[in-house]
């Protein structure tokens, strides 16, 4: 056996696997091969999408399930033993794995990230691969896990899910880093994980392992919405069983349970004597998990901070997508630096979160409107004489015509895409949400006449709206389609199918902006939801320009005043929009005597109408596979990406000819941001894939499939084959003309009409001789189609 002739897989099975097994690793429970740990970024062009390459490790080695400690990158024997090290190190950083190996079947190169002095890398023979015990002891020392109790905590098993569901890599990182922090005695911990990445599922795994060790026996899970408590108890936490779990309601305390769920406000009161949490002793809870901890729990001035202070001896773990850092509130000051962070940008890059497009719309009054002298509003109030702008609209001044323009644009977009796409319209307050609901109902009267709940207001003061919330979030329920809201849907509500988010409120911070974006980031690929769209009427997406924002859109579109509201597939070559970052201090603060979602409005608001309002500005930009702004046309963008892959026309033709399956080459181009279907639609001609690429990237004259097929027929090269074989090849040529080159490369092509009517696949192949002769004939046909000698 010549080792140089072996494939990478052969090297794994014949040399690497035996070496690992000999070192004492259990191949069934401790070793996973070819592990794809990301899904591949979703790349959107027009209405089409594909996924980029997922990240895949050849081997991940685990001390126990979901506790990875080593990674191995394998190469074939033609490459040096350490040639895969850089890629392996990149993956080890993402996976937070300290022990990195590469091998070509001759030996291993071992990169030990726990070493701080001396030799970081060394070569090991196949017989000297480290044992699980050896690496685990090094791992514990590296993580500073030293006492028997600490080891017991980090070695406790995850919950074994009968469905086979396993935590994603970042969830493993979050759980493992948290348990290691607890094991080392850290009692204030914060995890930062983007909305839609499974914070509650992560919290369950943390609590399960700590509870199973007996280190944390009584646990309090704090949230800020009733819906979250029920959703959490009956969902991710259900393995605990109802016998030990309890939701605290109406400030009634029962001390016979082990795991409690409560609202912040359900435990506290402005009346000191009614602070329900004080019915527990200060040492009652061993562990408190604070969900959405940016919501005020870390503020010195907030009432819920009193709860945390009262249970000061408990380990406290904060969960948030957006840690709050202001002069008044600091999560970091209270909890310390995050033990793990998984950002919105990383989630989109990994393909676990949906990317998004942005449609920016400006109306004629957005930059300023001043009332005429003595103007009286609809209710007889004289409108104060000053210049009003976006900071005022719908907060201190409501213009009916502006609300109607917004409703028209929202409806125009839905009619052009999907009128049943789940939509949230974020408004400035409850009054605005109600007026927006009325405007949208009028614009969608045809559907509302049949379905009263096509558009509903979901706010804290509206019992009917709150009852419709479950239907709105249910993947199976069609109605409501549109929800208008102020703050109620900003955070915490799991809106899996939301495809359209409208910003009609003045977003005051990156924190709030990220929470709102989070309503659309869930991916439901099976149901057709792979990206979402933000329509911005308030210049809130200027936040993209801020240095503390991460997670760029795939496209920004600002339509012409009379142009279509749906982003086009081709982008106008306009410069990138780099609006000034929001001056958040200039927004008027929420008056302290107003409950945004349910209190009485005491701020004076003027209501005016008969004001001419129109759309004056809308624009587009794309973000490519790497998240960077593309300002040229789709054709120019595709040309650049094709040229990156193929240095010349000859290079492309050579690769095309050498490809066993053209489909693989086309897929590779898609992973680099070139979607041929979107490009073909953009060009406006039904060109062959080969011609489309040659035409766009190398300025070659383009032929249609029909033209190519006719040229082959004129050359009449089929005559060297038998009559049956000629019929088969003519049918394949017809199929190419109708469907393209990939259709004749499918293994099942002989099983479909009209070929299936000529005989069985075996009989048709026999007309050429053996299978290899048939495959050679198909290859020659491809060469004839593309006239490749």
């Amino acid at each position: 056996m010549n080792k140089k002739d072996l494939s990478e897989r052969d090297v794994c099975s014949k040399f690497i696997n035996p070496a690992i097994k000999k070192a004492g690793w259990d191949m069934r429970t401790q070793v996973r091969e070819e592990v794809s740990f990301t899904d591949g970024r979703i790349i959107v062009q027009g209405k089409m999408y594909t996924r980029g390459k997922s990240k895949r490790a050849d081997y991940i080695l685990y001390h126990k399930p979901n506790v990875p400690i080593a990674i191995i990158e394998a190469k074939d024997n033609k490459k040096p033993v350490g040639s895969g090290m850089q890629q392996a190190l990149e993956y080890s950083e993402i996976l937070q794995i300290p022990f990195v190996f590469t091998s070509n079947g001759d030996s291993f190169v071992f990169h030990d990230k726990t070493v701080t002095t001396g030799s970081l890398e060394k070569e090991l023979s196949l017989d000297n691969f480290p044992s699980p015990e050896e690496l685990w002891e090094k791992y514990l020392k590296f993580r500073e896990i030293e006492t028997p109790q600490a080891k017991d905590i980090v070695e406790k098993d995850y919950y074994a899910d009968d469905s086979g569901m396993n935590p994603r890599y970042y969830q493993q990182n979050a759980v493992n880093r948290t348990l290691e922090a607890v094991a080392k005695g850290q009692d204030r911990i914060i995890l930062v994980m983007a909305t839609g990445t499974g914070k509650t599922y992560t919290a369950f795994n943390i609590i399960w392992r700590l509870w199973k060790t007996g280190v944390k026996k009584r646990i309090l899970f704090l949230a800020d919405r009733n819906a979250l408590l029920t959703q959490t108890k009956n969902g991710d936490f259900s393995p605990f069983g109802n016998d030990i779990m309890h939701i605290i309601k109406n400030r009634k305390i029962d001390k016979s349970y082990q795991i409690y769920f409560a609202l912040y406000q359900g435990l506290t009161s402005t009346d000191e004597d009614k602070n329900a949490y004080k019915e527990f002793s200060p040492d009652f809870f061993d562990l408190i998990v604070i969900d959405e901890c940016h919501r005020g729990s870390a503020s010195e001035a907030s009432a819920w901070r009193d709860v945390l202070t009262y249970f000061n001896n408990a380990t406290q773990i904060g969960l948030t997508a957006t840690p709050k850092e202001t002069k008044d509130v600091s999560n970091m000051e209270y909890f310390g630096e995050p033990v793990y962070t998984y950002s919105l940008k990383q989630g989109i890059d990994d393909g676990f979160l949906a990317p998004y497009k942005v449609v920016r719309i400006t109306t004629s009054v957005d930059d300023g409107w001043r009332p005429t002298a003595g103007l009286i509003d609809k209710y007889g109030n004289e409108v104060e004489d000053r210049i009003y702008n976006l900071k005022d609209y719908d907060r201190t001044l409501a213009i009916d015509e502006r609300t109607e323009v917004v409703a028209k644009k929202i409806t125009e977009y839905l009619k052009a895409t999907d009128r049943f796409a789940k939509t949230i319209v974020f408004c400035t307050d409850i009054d605005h949400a109600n007026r927006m609901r009325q405007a949208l109902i009028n614009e969608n009267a045809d559907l509302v006449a049949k379905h009263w709940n096509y558009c509903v207001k979901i706010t804290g003061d509206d019992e009917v709206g709150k009852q419709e919330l479950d239907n709105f979030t249910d993947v199976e329920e069609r109605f409501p389609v549109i929800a208008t809201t102020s703050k109620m849907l900003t955070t915490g509500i799991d809106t899996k199918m939301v495809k359209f988010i409208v910003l009609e409120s003045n977003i005051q911070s990156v924190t709030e902006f990220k929470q709102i974006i989070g309503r659309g980031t869930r991916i439901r690929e099976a149901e057709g939801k792979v990206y979402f769209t933000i329509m911005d009427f308030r210049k809130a997406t200027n936040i993209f320009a801020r240095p503390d924002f991460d997670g760029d859109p795939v496209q920004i579109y600002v339509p012409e005043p009379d142009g279509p509201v749906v982003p086009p597939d081709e982008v106008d070559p306009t410069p990138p929009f780099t609006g000034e970052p929001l001056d958040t201090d200039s927004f008027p603060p929420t008056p302290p005597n107003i409950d945004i979602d349910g209190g009485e409005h005491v701020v004076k608001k003027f209501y005016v109408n008969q004001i001419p309002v129109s759309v004056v500005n809308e624009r587009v930009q794309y973000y490519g596979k790497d998240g960077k702004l593309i300002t040229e046309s789709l054709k120019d963008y595709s040309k650049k990406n094709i040229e990156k892959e193929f240095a010349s026309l000859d290079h492309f033709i050579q690769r095309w000819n050498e490809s066993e399956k053209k489909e693989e080459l086309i897929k590779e181009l898609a992973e680099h941001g070139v979607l041929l279907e979107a490009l073909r639609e953009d060009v406006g001609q039904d060109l062959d894939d080969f011609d489309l690429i040659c035409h766009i990237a190398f300025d070659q004259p383009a032929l249609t499939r029909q033209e190519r097929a006719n040229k082959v027929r004129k050359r009449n090269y089929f005559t060297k084959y038998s009559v049956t074989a000629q019929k088969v090849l003519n049918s394949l040529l017809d199929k190419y003309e109708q469907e393209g080159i990939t259709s004749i490369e499918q293994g099942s092509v002989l099983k479909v009409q009209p070929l299936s009517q000529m005989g069985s696949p075996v009989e048709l192949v026999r007309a050429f001789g053996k299978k290899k002769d048939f495959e050679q004939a198909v290859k020659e046909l491809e060469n004839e189609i593309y006239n490749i000698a």
Side-chain angles (χ1 to χ4, degrees), residues 42-75:
I42 290 174
I43 302 168
V44 181
Q45 286 185 5
K47 302 178 187 69
M48 301 169 193
Y49 82 98
T50 189
R51 281 192 180 268
K53 279 187 178 178
S54 62
K55 291 183 171 65
R56 191 190 73 176
D58 290 328
Y59 292 84
I60 298 180
L61 276 51
Y62 299 80
H63 169 65
K64 282 193 166 186
N66 300 309
V67 184
I69 59 173
I71 186 170
I72 304 174
E73 184 66 24
K75 296 296 178 185

Side-chain angles (χ1 to χ4, degrees), residues 314-330:
T315 298
Q316 297 175 7
I317 301 174
L319 306 174
T320 182
T322 49
K324 184 175 288 187
E325 294 300 311
T326 70
K327 59 183 174 61
D328 299 315
V329 179
S330 173

Side-chain angles (χ1 to χ4, degrees), residues 3 126 157 217 267 364 424 503 513 520 541 629 675 766:
K3 197 183 285 188
L126 292 178
D157 290 333
K217 298 176 182 177
L267 294 179
S364 55
I424 304 177
L503 303 181
F513 186 67
T541 51
L629 194 64
L675 274 66
R766 196 175 293 143

